[in-house]
Amino acid sequence: MLRFIREAKKGYIEVAFNGSLGSILLDTQFSVPAKGVTAILGPPGCGKTTLARCIAGVQRLPNGFCAIDGEIWQDETTFRPTHLRHVAYVFRLPILSSHLSVRHTLLYNASKSEQTLIDFDGVVELLALAPLLERLPSDLSGAERQRLALGRALLGQPRLLLLDDPLIGLDRSAKCEILPFLERMRQTLRLPMIYFGHDIADIERFADYLVMMKDGAVTTAGPLNVIQSDAALARRGEAAVCLDTTVGGYDGRYGLIMLRLKAVRFLIPGVPLTPGAPLRLRIAADDVSIAREPRHASSILNVFPARIKASLPHGEAEVTLVLTLEAGRSGVPLLARVTRRSFDALRLSNGGQVFAEVARAVPLGLPSGCLQRLPHSQEHLRQLCPMREKHQQDPNRDR
């Protein structure tokens, strides 16, 4: 069990729900910043929806605690009902009035709240709803219905937005359509969001903080890239770390974007981006090699001094290394997967200093307004919704 002190801290979301609701036993305690997106990750049936309903005030668990940005919603003596929590809840399958057009659905919610977060025109622009305004929900695709549900929720001017796995019923094409809008909401709105989901590949696109659940209990919580390098996720087959970088410039001669993260500098192929624009990179463990000495001649552009924090067995033939980059003492986390043969041949050990060679870093989406010029349409689509195929490698080659 995670240790938790029940206090309402300004700037934080504080949650502690312990007990039974029906057949669900909760032991959920965490504290995360009241900004950006916090993802609650766990398999179906682990209690995520029950936790969401407790935070929203739809269900009451005696002795529970919930405080948002210093404001107590529930403790031993207080229980605010849902309509007094200023919370919006977007369900997996949104319930929409069949007789109201998109425009009237949005206007109905906009008329009920003082506009402190975003107005009608802002929602229409943010979620690209203008072409849909005169249509009925029955005429919308699954992704379009979710965009409408998001817009309706935002016009309620919430202090907290709960998203209960809104992508679970969508196919890959529909997910690719809606993910950029979730990213845009995160970049544009000063609104804390809690996203409940089971697919880490979706969560990697937009989450800032990650809370992991199993069998009704919170097992760990923290910044996304820190939890990604925790043993529970680092052991998985497609282990990766997501890093939030800033565009520092562009090498037009070679078509390379220059990115900054603390003292670390990355070079990746791409189109020119506005300097200062944020860009999230996904670096898979399979795309990082290890060397004991710096190579004087190599095709790999991104090579960093690093220290091995942990070595985790991965099947019979491989080892996953949890690394900390030491360029300028940046402390940036990274994962690498090597064969046991290479691990032994290089005499690697925990605490040892090595060089991490990043062969590939995939940009996850492009923030709106960051393009200096429009790329070829196929390249633009690839960058907005990169494919997640495993990098093809010769299985007989040691890394």
Side-chain angles (χ1 to χ4, degrees):
M1 180 188 298
L2 299 177
R3 185 182 177 188
F4 186 78
I5 300 174
R6 294 188 170 200
E7 60 177 304
K9 293 191 294 184
K10 190 73 175 175
Y12 285 85
I13 297 172
E14 310 283 336
V15 169
F17 291 105
N18 303 91
S20 298
L21 282 170
S23 61
I24 301 297
L25 177 64
L26 289 183
D27 180 14
T28 52
Q29 307 178 55
F30 63 87
S31 173
V32 294
K35 62 180 181 179
V37 179
T38 294
I40 312 291
L41 175 67
C46 75
K48 298 189 300 295
T49 294
T50 301
L51 174 59
R53 292 170 65 85
C54 287
I55 295 173
V58 177
Q59 289 183 287
R60 182 173 185 177
L61 187 62
N63 301 318
F65 182 84
C66 181
I68 308 298
D69 198 15
E71 184 176 282
I72 294 177
W73 287 0
Q74 180 180 350
D75 62 8
E76 290 83 355
T77 60
T78 303
F79 181 81
R80 287 192 182 184
T82 302
H83 69 279
L84 295 179
R85 295 196 178 200
H86 301 289
V87 61
Y89 194 153
V90 176
F91 298 91
R92 300 178 181 185
L93 298 174
I95 302 172
L96 302 169
S97 299
S98 60
H99 65 287
L100 292 179
S101 68
V102 170
R103 180 190 299 276
H104 286 96
T105 298
L106 295 174
L107 288 173
Y108 178 77
N109 249 37
S111 66
K112 296 191 297 182
S113 304
E114 181 182 355
Q115 293 177 357
T116 56
L117 175 70
I118 191 169
D119 61 12
F120 175 87
D121 292 336
V123 162
V124 170
E125 181 181 357
L126 179 68
L127 297 172
L129 294 172
L132 312 178
L133 288 176
E134 308 310 323
R135 291 163 60 179
L136 294 174
S138 59
D139 297 326
L140 303 179
S141 68
E144 290 168 343
R145 288 171 64 87
Q146 283 294 9
R147 282 158 55 197
L148 173 56
L150 290 171
R152 182 180 62 177
L154 293 178
L155 286 172
Q157 314 302 321
R159 292 190 59 191
L160 176 67
L161 179 61
L162 302 177
L163 304 168
D164 189 5
D165 217 347
L167 303 179
I168 193 170
L170 304 179
D171 59 23
R172 183 175 183 81
S173 175
K175 282 186 180 183
C176 189
E177 177 184 337
I178 201 169
L179 276 167
F181 291 103
L182 295 177
E183 294 169 339
R184 190 181 301 174
M185 287 169 54
R186 168 182 172 263
Q187 297 155 12
T188 304
L189 300 176
R190 295 175 60 85
L191 172 68
M193 294 176 266
I194 301 181
Y195 179 97
F196 298 82
H198 70 283
D199 190 341
I200 185 64
D202 297 334
I203 287 170
E204 288 173 341
R205 290 286 298 266
F206 52 81
D208 299 289
Y209 308 95
L210 185 59
V211 177
M212 294 189 64
M213 284 187 67
K214 182 180 181 181
D215 299 328
V218 168
T219 57
T220 188
L224 174 66
N225 58 22
V226 173
I227 304 303
Q228 283 179 306
S229 58
D230 185 79
L233 285 181
R235 291 180 187 274
R236 67 191 181 97
E238 296 186 4
V241 168
C242 292
L243 303 177
D244 289 319
T245 67
T246 301
V247 176
Y250 189 73
D251 183 343
R253 180 181 180 186
Y254 293 108
L256 296 173
I257 307 171
M258 293 178 280
L259 302 169
R260 298 194 302 264
L261 174 58
K262 298 182 180 179
V264 179
R265 302 291 184 267
F266 289 93
L267 291 173
I268 66 168
V271 298
L273 303 179
T274 302
L279 188 64
R280 174 167 290 188
L281 298 180
R282 181 183 189 271
I283 302 176
D286 284 338
D287 290 328
V288 180
S289 299
I290 297 297
R292 289 296 301 269
E293 302 291 339
R295 302 187 193 185
H296 298 294
S298 172
S299 64
I300 296 178
L301 299 176
N302 300 300
V303 180
F304 311 103
R307 184 178 296 274
I308 300 174
K309 289 181 59 179
S311 51
L312 310 171
H314 182 70
E316 295 281 333
E318 295 181 303
V319 178
T320 301
L321 302 179
V322 181
L323 307 170
T324 298
L325 300 190
E326 295 194 324
R329 297 185 178 181
S330 64
V332 173
L334 203 63
L335 300 174
R337 186 159 288 151
V338 301
T339 60
R340 284 184 175 274
R341 175 177 170 178
S342 295
F343 184 85
D344 291 341
L346 294 174
R347 297 182 181 179
L348 302 179
S349 61
N350 293 348
Q353 291 183 314
V354 295
F355 288 87
E357 303 175 331
V358 180
R360 184 168 171 259
V362 178
L364 296 182
L366 291 175
S368 56
C370 77
L371 283 170
Q372 283 192 332
R373 62 176 175 81
L374 288 177
H376 186 276
S377 58
Q378 293 293 326
E379 175 66 13
H380 184 52
L381 179 61
R382 186 188 69 80
Q383 298 244 16
L384 280 176
C385 191
M387 301 295 286
R388 295 293 176 86
E389 304 95 343
K390 189 174 181 180
H391 185 53
Q392 297 297 316
Q393 294 182 342
D394 182 351
N396 297 316
R397 179 177 64 85
D398 283 347
R399 294 187 295 275

